């Protein structure tokens, strides 16, 4: 009997010395936060890959070094009363555009960018940006940005360019 | 097996079976090589032909089927034969809708590779004649 008593006493004291009531709380807390984080892991994002890309972004869209402008040639609509996605008031967005890909430094992925021109007013003149990455000579008309892309609009007068994310670039695995 | 599957699907109603399509790759190639002019939903713009609910009309004749590969946007694109075949099959599957009136046999890379060796020059006139022929054959 004494032996059993001693054994249990030893075990209990050891437990009391090496654990704390707060430790239980800490463990429970970790479990709660951890469970909450699991849906944020890439598994969930891969499953939702079909939804349109809304990339995490950084940088100033009114600056030529903004990531989406890697293949642009023109005036930034962000400096002309519009935004990277929208035309300034009084202009019409061309449905015919030239399209390229740019690498987003925030997540390291390549996105498909549509450089829709805004048309119907004379040149904006602010924030001229010519990065031209991937620009091809005019014998590749769909990949040259030296031509006026104000096609399909009421007026062919070029005002400024937007840079709209239309998808994620496909990469062979 | 593929033929049986295609026939089975055709008998069940839908006329379009696009073949082995990787939809992400096909859409990306569409975006990079076609969408700039034909618009994200294939609706075209002004002089750019509308593909949505119309592109299937060409599949009603052999010359029409060949036209979709020989048209310069296809034939001289930077896409490989396999990628071009896939994006054409994807376009038919995504945009053709009820304009497809005969069972669609997917384009193969071999077929596309041979046809694109003969790109069209006078596209507008050829296209108009083709559509007139298809309409009168009905």
């Amino acid at each position: 009997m004494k032996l059993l008593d001693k054994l249990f006493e030893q075990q209990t004291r050891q437990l009391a010395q090496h654990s704390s009531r707060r430790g239980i709380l800490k463990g429970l807390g970790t479990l709660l936060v951890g469970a909450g984080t699991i849906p944020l892991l890439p598994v969930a994002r891969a499953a939702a890959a079909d939804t349109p890309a809304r990339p995490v972004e950084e940088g100033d869209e009114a600056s030529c070094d903004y990531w989406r402008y890697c293949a642009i040639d023109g005036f930034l609509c962000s400096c002309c009363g519009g935004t990277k996605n929208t035309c300034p008031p009084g202009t019409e967005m061309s449905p015919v555009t030239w399209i390229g890909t740019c690498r987003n430094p925030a997540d390291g992925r390549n996105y498909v960018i549509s450089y829709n021109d805004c048309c119907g007013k004379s040149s904006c003149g602010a924030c001229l940006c010519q990065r031209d990455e991937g620009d091809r000579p005019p014998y590749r008309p769909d990949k040259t940005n030296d031509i006026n892309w104000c096609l399909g609009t009421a007026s062919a007068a070029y005002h400024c360019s937007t840079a709209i994310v239309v998808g994620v670039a496909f990469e062979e695995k | 097996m593929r033929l049986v599957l295609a026939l089975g699907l055709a008998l069940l109603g839908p006329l379009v079976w696009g073949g082995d399509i990787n939809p992400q790759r096909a859409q990306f190639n569409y975006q990079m090589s076609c969408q700039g002019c034909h618009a994200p939903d294939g609706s075209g713009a002004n002089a750019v032909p509308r593909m949505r609910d119309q592109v299937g009309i060409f599949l009603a004749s052999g010359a029409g089927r060949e036209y979709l590969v020989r048209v310069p946007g296809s034939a001289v694109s930077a896409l490989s034969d396999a990628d071009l075949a896939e994006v054409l099959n994807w376009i038919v599957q995504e945009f053709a809708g009820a304009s497809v009136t005969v069972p669609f046999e997917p384009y193969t890379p071999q077929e596309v590779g041979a046809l694109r060796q003969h790109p069209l020059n006078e596209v507008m006139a050829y296209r108009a004649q083709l559509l007139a022929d298809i309409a009168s054959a009905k």
Side-chain angles (χ1 to χ4, degrees):
Chain A
M1 247 359 221
K2 254 193 171 160
L3 189 74
L4 265 182
D5 261 354
K6 213 171 176 183
L7 190 72
F8 273 101
E9 191 191 332
Q10 253 177 16
Q11 293 277 319
T12 316
R13 283 183 192 281
Q14 211 163 30
L15 187 72
Q17 273 164 7
H18 289 98
S19 66
S20 67
R21 282 166 295 168
R22 284 184 189 168
I24 294 280
L25 287 176
K26 190 176 140 217
L28 264 175
T30 309
L31 195 71
L32 275 172
V33 173
T37 322
I38 285 172
L40 300 176
L41 293 176
V43 186
R45 269 186 270 136
D50 276 349
T51 54
R54 265 212 312 200
V56 180
E57 300 190 82
E58 58 192 33
D60 176 10
E61 68 170 81
S63 168
C64 188
D65 60 13
Y66 182 62
W67 74 277
R68 289 195 196 186
Y69 301 145
C70 76
I72 209 165
D73 178 354
F75 304 111
L76 305 181
C77 288
S78 301
C79 302
C80 306
T83 69
K84 60 186 185 289
N85 293 322
T86 59
C87 286
T91 62
E92 182 190 358
M93 185 178 282
S94 175
V96 175
T97 88
W98 99 280
I99 290 180
T101 61
C102 292
R103 189 179 164 278
N104 180 2
D107 62 6
R109 300 177 77 184
N110 290 304
Y111 289 85
V112 184
I113 313 287
S114 178
Y115 295 99
N116 294 61
D117 285 345
C118 299
C119 316
K121 275 182 169 178
S122 58
S123 292
C124 160
C127 297
L128 176 64
C129 181
Q130 285 177 293
R131 287 173 57 188
D132 293 341
E133 291 168 30
D135 181 30
R136 293 288 174 265
Y139 59 75
R140 273 272 167 225
D142 60 324
K143 288 283 168 277
T144 190
N145 60 16
D146 284 336
I147 62 171
N148 183 352
W149 282 87
C150 281
L151 305 161
T153 43
S155 161
Y158 167 76
H159 187 64
C160 65
S161 300
T162 60
I164 302 168
V165 173
V166 295
V168 181
F170 178 83
E171 274 145 37
E172 296 280 359
K173 291 187 179 80
Chain B
M1 183 59 202
R2 190 172 292 179
L3 184 71
V4 174
L5 194 64
L7 281 175
L9 282 175
L11 287 172
L12 283 171
L15 292 170
V16 175
W17 176 66
D20 299 322
I21 293 177
N22 177 327
Q24 280 86 27
R25 181 174 58 206
Q27 186 178 23
F28 173 64
N29 285 327
Y30 176 79
Q31 288 181 323
M32 294 300 288
S33 300
C34 323
Q35 175 169 317
C37 296
H38 285 282
D41 64 349
S43 58
N46 288 6
V48 181
R50 178 185 177 88
M51 299 197 290
R52 177 165 285 274
D53 298 325
Q54 304 214 349
V55 71
I57 294 170
F58 292 98
L59 300 171
S61 84
R65 179 185 170 93
E66 293 179 2
Y67 168 82
L68 296 182
V69 184
R70 295 176 62 200
V71 74
S74 294
V76 305
S77 74
L79 297 171
S80 70
D81 294 347
D83 284 344
L84 180 57
E86 182 180 64
V87 86
L88 284 168
N89 292 333
W90 183 86
I91 284 169
V92 172
Q93 182 178 281
E94 289 292 311
F95 299 146
S99 64
V100 183
T101 53
V102 295
F104 172 60
E105 180 73 23
Y107 288 99
T108 64
Q110 293 73 23
E111 177 188 13
V112 162
L115 288 172
R116 73 192 299 192
Q117 300 303 315
H118 309 283
L120 294 165
N121 283 323
E122 299 295 337
V123 187
M124 299 304 230
Y126 187 88
R127 182 177 193 274
Q129 184 59 49
L130 198 56
L131 288 173
D133 291 347
I134 290 171
S136 66
K138 272 184 183 168

